[in-house]
Short mmCIF file of all heavy atoms in Angstrom, two decimals:
data_model
loop_
_atom_site.label_atom_id
_atom_site.label_comp_id
_atom_site.label_asym_id
_atom_site.label_seq_id
_atom_site.Cartn_x
_atom_site.Cartn_y
_atom_site.Cartn_z
N CYS A 670 -99.58 92.53 55.16
CA CYS A 670 -100.41 93.72 55.42
C CYS A 670 -99.60 94.95 55.04
O CYS A 670 -98.51 95.16 55.55
CB CYS A 670 -100.81 93.78 56.90
SG CYS A 670 -101.53 95.36 57.38
N ALA A 671 -100.15 95.76 54.15
CA ALA A 671 -99.40 96.91 53.64
C ALA A 671 -99.38 98.07 54.61
O ALA A 671 -98.63 99.03 54.41
CB ALA A 671 -100.00 97.36 52.30
N GLY A 672 -100.17 98.02 55.66
CA GLY A 672 -100.22 99.14 56.60
C GLY A 672 -100.67 100.41 55.89
O GLY A 672 -101.65 100.41 55.15
N ALA A 673 -99.95 101.49 56.10
CA ALA A 673 -100.31 102.78 55.51
C ALA A 673 -99.82 102.92 54.07
O ALA A 673 -100.20 103.88 53.39
CB ALA A 673 -99.76 103.92 56.36
N GLU A 674 -98.99 101.99 53.60
CA GLU A 674 -98.46 102.05 52.24
C GLU A 674 -99.34 101.22 51.31
O GLU A 674 -99.20 100.00 51.22
CB GLU A 674 -97.01 101.55 52.21
CG GLU A 674 -96.38 101.49 50.82
CD GLU A 674 -96.60 102.74 49.99
OE1 GLU A 674 -97.68 102.87 49.37
OE2 GLU A 674 -95.68 103.57 49.95
N LYS A 675 -100.27 101.88 50.65
CA LYS A 675 -101.31 101.18 49.89
C LYS A 675 -100.89 100.84 48.46
O LYS A 675 -101.70 100.30 47.71
CB LYS A 675 -102.59 102.02 49.87
CG LYS A 675 -103.16 102.32 51.25
CD LYS A 675 -103.38 101.04 52.06
CE LYS A 675 -104.00 101.34 53.42
NZ LYS A 675 -104.15 100.10 54.24
N ARG A 676 -99.64 101.12 48.11
CA ARG A 676 -99.19 100.78 46.76
C ARG A 676 -98.67 99.35 46.66
O ARG A 676 -98.25 98.92 45.59
CB ARG A 676 -98.11 101.76 46.32
CG ARG A 676 -98.63 103.17 46.06
CD ARG A 676 -97.51 104.14 45.74
NE ARG A 676 -96.65 104.40 46.90
CZ ARG A 676 -95.60 105.22 46.88
NH1 ARG A 676 -95.25 105.82 45.76
NH2 ARG A 676 -94.90 105.43 47.99
N ILE A 677 -98.72 98.61 47.77
CA ILE A 677 -98.33 97.20 47.78
C ILE A 677 -99.56 96.38 48.11
O ILE A 677 -100.30 96.69 49.04
CB ILE A 677 -97.24 96.92 48.84
CG1 ILE A 677 -96.15 97.99 48.82
CG2 ILE A 677 -96.63 95.54 48.64
CD1 ILE A 677 -95.15 97.86 49.96
N ASP A 678 -99.79 95.32 47.36
CA ASP A 678 -100.93 94.45 47.63
C ASP A 678 -100.69 93.64 48.90
O ASP A 678 -99.57 93.16 49.15
CB ASP A 678 -101.17 93.49 46.46
CG ASP A 678 -101.70 94.19 45.23
OD1 ASP A 678 -102.26 95.30 45.39
OD2 ASP A 678 -101.57 93.64 44.12
N ASP A 679 -101.73 93.45 49.69
CA ASP A 679 -101.65 92.60 50.86
C ASP A 679 -101.49 91.13 50.46
O ASP A 679 -101.92 90.72 49.38
CB ASP A 679 -102.92 92.74 51.71
CG ASP A 679 -103.05 94.11 52.37
OD1 ASP A 679 -102.01 94.76 52.57
OD2 ASP A 679 -104.19 94.51 52.68
N TRP A 680 -100.91 90.37 51.38
CA TRP A 680 -100.79 88.92 51.22
C TRP A 680 -100.12 88.59 49.88
O TRP A 680 -100.65 87.85 49.05
CB TRP A 680 -102.15 88.23 51.32
CG TRP A 680 -102.12 86.98 52.15
CD1 TRP A 680 -101.89 85.71 51.69
CD2 TRP A 680 -102.29 86.86 53.56
NE1 TRP A 680 -101.92 84.82 52.73
CE2 TRP A 680 -102.17 85.50 53.91
CE3 TRP A 680 -102.54 87.79 54.57
CZ2 TRP A 680 -102.29 85.04 55.22
CZ3 TRP A 680 -102.65 87.33 55.87
CH2 TRP A 680 -102.54 85.97 56.18
N HIS A 681 -98.94 89.13 49.69
CA HIS A 681 -98.34 89.11 48.35
C HIS A 681 -96.82 89.07 48.42
O HIS A 681 -96.21 89.62 49.34
CB HIS A 681 -98.79 90.37 47.60
CG HIS A 681 -98.63 90.31 46.12
ND1 HIS A 681 -98.89 89.19 45.37
CD2 HIS A 681 -98.23 91.27 45.23
CE1 HIS A 681 -98.67 89.45 44.10
NE2 HIS A 681 -98.26 90.69 43.99
N TRP A 682 -96.21 88.38 47.44
CA TRP A 682 -94.77 88.39 47.21
C TRP A 682 -94.47 89.19 45.95
O TRP A 682 -95.17 89.06 44.94
CB TRP A 682 -94.24 86.97 47.00
CG TRP A 682 -94.12 86.10 48.21
CD1 TRP A 682 -95.07 85.26 48.71
CD2 TRP A 682 -92.97 85.96 49.05
NE1 TRP A 682 -94.59 84.61 49.81
CE2 TRP A 682 -93.29 85.01 50.04
CE3 TRP A 682 -91.70 86.54 49.06
CZ2 TRP A 682 -92.40 84.62 51.04
CZ3 TRP A 682 -90.81 86.15 50.05
CH2 TRP A 682 -91.15 85.21 51.02
N VAL A 683 -93.40 90.00 46.00
CA VAL A 683 -92.92 90.72 44.81
C VAL A 683 -91.40 90.64 44.78
O VAL A 683 -90.76 90.15 45.73
CB VAL A 683 -93.37 92.21 44.82
CG1 VAL A 683 -94.88 92.33 44.82
CG2 VAL A 683 -92.77 92.96 46.01
N MET A 684 -90.80 91.11 43.70
CA MET A 684 -89.35 91.13 43.59
C MET A 684 -88.84 92.56 43.62
O MET A 684 -89.15 93.36 42.74
CB MET A 684 -88.88 90.46 42.30
CG MET A 684 -87.35 90.30 42.23
SD MET A 684 -86.75 89.49 40.73
CE MET A 684 -86.62 90.89 39.61
N ILE A 685 -88.06 92.90 44.65
CA ILE A 685 -87.48 94.24 44.80
C ILE A 685 -86.27 94.36 43.89
O ILE A 685 -85.38 93.52 43.90
CB ILE A 685 -87.08 94.51 46.26
CG1 ILE A 685 -88.33 94.55 47.14
CG2 ILE A 685 -86.29 95.81 46.37
CD1 ILE A 685 -88.01 94.69 48.63
N SER A 686 -86.22 95.47 43.13
CA SER A 686 -85.11 95.69 42.20
C SER A 686 -84.27 96.90 42.55
O SER A 686 -83.18 97.09 41.99
CB SER A 686 -85.65 95.85 40.77
OG SER A 686 -86.56 96.93 40.70
N GLY A 687 -84.75 97.75 43.46
CA GLY A 687 -84.00 98.95 43.81
C GLY A 687 -84.45 99.50 45.15
O GLY A 687 -85.57 99.24 45.61
N LEU A 688 -83.56 100.27 45.79
CA LEU A 688 -83.85 100.86 47.09
C LEU A 688 -83.10 102.17 47.25
O LEU A 688 -81.91 102.26 46.94
CB LEU A 688 -83.40 99.90 48.21
CG LEU A 688 -83.31 100.50 49.63
CD1 LEU A 688 -84.71 100.75 50.18
CD2 LEU A 688 -82.54 99.57 50.55
N ASP A 689 -83.82 103.18 47.73
CA ASP A 689 -83.20 104.42 48.18
C ASP A 689 -83.23 104.38 49.71
O ASP A 689 -84.29 104.59 50.31
CB ASP A 689 -83.96 105.63 47.66
CG ASP A 689 -83.28 106.95 48.02
OD1 ASP A 689 -82.59 107.00 49.06
OD2 ASP A 689 -83.44 107.93 47.27
N PRO A 690 -82.10 104.10 50.36
CA PRO A 690 -82.12 103.94 51.82
C PRO A 690 -82.43 105.22 52.57
O PRO A 690 -82.84 105.18 53.73
CB PRO A 690 -80.71 103.43 52.13
CG PRO A 690 -79.87 103.91 51.00
CD PRO A 690 -80.76 103.89 49.79
N GLN A 691 -82.25 106.37 51.92
CA GLN A 691 -82.53 107.64 52.58
C GLN A 691 -84.03 107.93 52.64
O GLN A 691 -84.54 108.40 53.66
CB GLN A 691 -81.79 108.77 51.86
CG GLN A 691 -80.30 108.57 51.76
CD GLN A 691 -79.63 108.39 53.12
OE1 GLN A 691 -79.96 109.11 54.06
NE2 GLN A 691 -78.72 107.45 53.23
N THR A 692 -84.72 107.68 51.56
CA THR A 692 -86.15 107.95 51.51
C THR A 692 -87.00 106.73 51.87
O THR A 692 -88.18 106.87 52.19
CB THR A 692 -86.57 108.42 50.10
OG1 THR A 692 -86.35 107.35 49.16
CG2 THR A 692 -85.76 109.64 49.68
N GLY A 693 -86.40 105.54 51.78
CA GLY A 693 -87.15 104.32 52.04
C GLY A 693 -87.91 103.79 50.84
O GLY A 693 -88.61 102.77 50.94
N VAL A 694 -87.78 104.45 49.70
CA VAL A 694 -88.54 104.04 48.51
C VAL A 694 -87.87 102.85 47.83
O VAL A 694 -86.65 102.82 47.65
CB VAL A 694 -88.66 105.22 47.52
CG1 VAL A 694 -89.25 104.75 46.18
CG2 VAL A 694 -89.52 106.32 48.12
N ILE A 695 -88.68 101.86 47.48
CA ILE A 695 -88.21 100.72 46.70
C ILE A 695 -88.85 100.74 45.32
O ILE A 695 -89.93 101.30 45.12
CB ILE A 695 -88.54 99.37 47.37
CG1 ILE A 695 -90.05 99.25 47.65
CG2 ILE A 695 -87.70 99.17 48.61
CD1 ILE A 695 -90.49 97.86 48.07
N THR A 696 -88.16 100.15 44.35
CA THR A 696 -88.78 99.79 43.08
C THR A 696 -88.92 98.27 43.09
O THR A 696 -88.08 97.56 43.65
CB THR A 696 -87.93 100.22 41.88
OG1 THR A 696 -86.62 99.66 41.98
CG2 THR A 696 -87.82 101.73 41.81
N PHE A 697 -90.00 97.78 42.50
CA PHE A 697 -90.22 96.34 42.50
C PHE A 697 -91.02 95.92 41.27
O PHE A 697 -91.76 96.71 40.67
CB PHE A 697 -90.92 95.88 43.78
CG PHE A 697 -92.28 96.48 44.03
CD1 PHE A 697 -93.44 95.82 43.68
CD2 PHE A 697 -92.40 97.73 44.65
CE1 PHE A 697 -94.69 96.38 43.93
CE2 PHE A 697 -93.65 98.30 44.91
CZ PHE A 697 -94.80 97.62 44.54
N PHE A 698 -90.81 94.67 40.88
CA PHE A 698 -91.54 94.09 39.76
C PHE A 698 -92.78 93.39 40.31
O PHE A 698 -92.68 92.57 41.23
CB PHE A 698 -90.68 93.07 39.02
CG PHE A 698 -89.56 93.68 38.21
CD1 PHE A 698 -88.30 93.85 38.76
CD2 PHE A 698 -89.77 94.08 36.90
CE1 PHE A 698 -87.27 94.41 38.02
CE2 PHE A 698 -88.75 94.64 36.15
CZ PHE A 698 -87.49 94.81 36.70
N ASP A 699 -93.94 93.69 39.73
CA ASP A 699 -95.19 93.08 40.15
C ASP A 699 -96.21 93.23 39.03
O ASP A 699 -96.34 94.31 38.44
CB ASP A 699 -95.71 93.75 41.43
CG ASP A 699 -96.98 93.11 41.96
OD1 ASP A 699 -97.12 91.88 41.83
OD2 ASP A 699 -97.83 93.82 42.52
N GLU A 700 -96.89 92.15 38.72
CA GLU A 700 -97.94 92.16 37.69
C GLU A 700 -97.39 92.67 36.36
O GLU A 700 -98.05 93.41 35.64
CB GLU A 700 -99.13 93.01 38.14
CG GLU A 700 -99.80 92.48 39.39
CD GLU A 700 -100.95 93.35 39.86
OE1 GLU A 700 -100.86 94.59 39.71
OE2 GLU A 700 -101.95 92.79 40.35
N SER A 701 -96.14 92.29 36.05
CA SER A 701 -95.47 92.68 34.80
C SER A 701 -95.30 94.19 34.67
O SER A 701 -95.29 94.73 33.57
CB SER A 701 -96.23 92.12 33.58
OG SER A 701 -96.16 90.71 33.56
#
């Protein structure tokens, strides 16, 4: 469940490639 963050699909696995621990922003690979 993505909650309030709607840029992630529900019921889904992705691969995280980066993280900014200060802002909480991740980069991830999904759907090519």
Side-chain angles (χ1 to χ4, degrees):
C670 168
E674 176 47 278
K675 300 306 182 183
R676 290 175 291 180
I677 315 173
D678 289 339
D679 291 336
W680 223 269
H681 198 39
W682 284 90
V683 299
M684 187 179 86
I685 294 175
S686 58
L688 166 72
D689 185 331
Q691 303 303 317
T692 65
V694 171
I695 56 169
T696 56
F697 60 97
F698 288 93
D699 183 35
E700 298 178 325
S701 294

